[in-house]
Amino acid sequence: MDDVDRTLLRILQHDGRASYAAMAPEVGLSAPAVRLRVQRLVDEGVLQVVGVTDPIATGFPVMAMVGVQTQGDVRAVADALGAIPNVVYLVLTSGEHDLLAEVVCRTPEELLDVVNDRVRAVDGVLSTRVWQYYGIHTHRFTWGVPD
């Protein structure tokens, strides 16, 4: 990544709908050249352009972080958990839990069903610990682009 790539990333973090024409003067390139740069960043997995939604506003007011202890292949367990539609974020960790899964649901009953019937049923899951959220305090996507 060069300075142009980093500038484009900063612009898109601020406004994911910025047009190639609007970004072009910021980086001293033509709009088609910016489009190629952005496409390369997408192809390389550096950038993903998506619409970010608020779970509460979209009908999923029940949210929780689920800590998961596993046995066996943690990646296989992660693959199975990642296939559950209510799991919206999943990370491999160290310490007390092998995985942390963020879950969104419509009701407390649905959360119980997801944890009890889906997560705990995955082969290799030893135990779970659930922290239900009261709400979203900070949801940031502009953490910066290193120089």
Side-chain angles (χ1 to χ4, degrees), residues 3 15 46 58 68 71 75 88 93 100 118 136 145:
D3 289 340
D15 179 5
V46 173
T58 56
V68 181
Q71 68 179 4
R75 290 183 187 97
V88 296
T93 65
L100 291 176
R118 304 287 310 274
I136 298 172
V145 179

Side-chain angles (χ1 to χ4, degrees), residues 1-2 7 9 24 31 45 48 51 66 88 129 132 136 144-145:
M1 278 196 338
D2 61 12
T7 300
L9 290 173
Q48 182 181 23
V66 180
V88 296
R129 183 170 182 186
Q132 190 168 343
I136 298 172
V145 179

Side-chain angles (χ1 to χ4, degrees), residues 78-146:
D79 289 342
L81 294 179
I84 299 170
N86 300 79
V87 174
V88 296
Y89 186 75
L90 180 64
V91 294
L92 285 79
T93 65
S94 62
E96 182 180 348
H97 300 96
D98 301 304
L99 301 165
L100 291 176
E102 187 169 18
V103 175
V104 296
C105 297
R106 291 175 186 86
T107 65
E109 294 78 15
E110 184 180 24
L111 177 59
L112 175 60
D113 291 344
V114 169
V115 173
N116 192 62
D117 302 340
R118 304 287 310 274
V119 173
R120 290 182 180 154
V122 169
D123 189 39
V125 171
L126 286 179
S127 67
T128 59
R129 183 170 182 186
V130 179
W131 295 273
Q132 190 168 343
Y133 300 169
Y134 296 123
I136 298 172
H137 183 274
T138 303
H139 200 193
R140 181 176 299 129
F141 294 95
T142 56
W143 52 82
V145 179

Side-chain angles (χ1 to χ4, degrees), residues 7-96:
T7 300
L8 292 172
L9 290 173
R10 287 183 188 106
I11 292 168
L12 290 168
Q13 280 185 329
H14 179 72
D15 179 5
R17 297 185 308 164
S19 70
Y20 302 130
M23 291 188 283
E26 297 290 325
V27 294
L29 297 174
S30 68
V34 169
R35 183 187 63 75
L36 290 174
R37 286 279 189 134
V38 170
Q39 187 59 53
R40 181 179 50 78
L41 292 168
V42 169
D43 291 345
E44 291 175 354
V46 173
L47 173 66
Q48 182 181 23
V49 181
V50 298
V52 178
T53 59
D54 179 340
I56 296 169
T58 56
F60 293 90
V62 179
M63 301 165 285
M65 183 64 67
V66 180
V68 181
Q69 287 184 323
T70 67
Q71 68 179 4
D73 185 357
V74 70
R75 290 183 187 97
V77 175
D79 289 342
L81 294 179
I84 299 170
N86 300 79
V87 174
V88 296
Y89 186 75
L90 180 64
V91 294
L92 285 79
T93 65
S94 62
E96 182 180 348

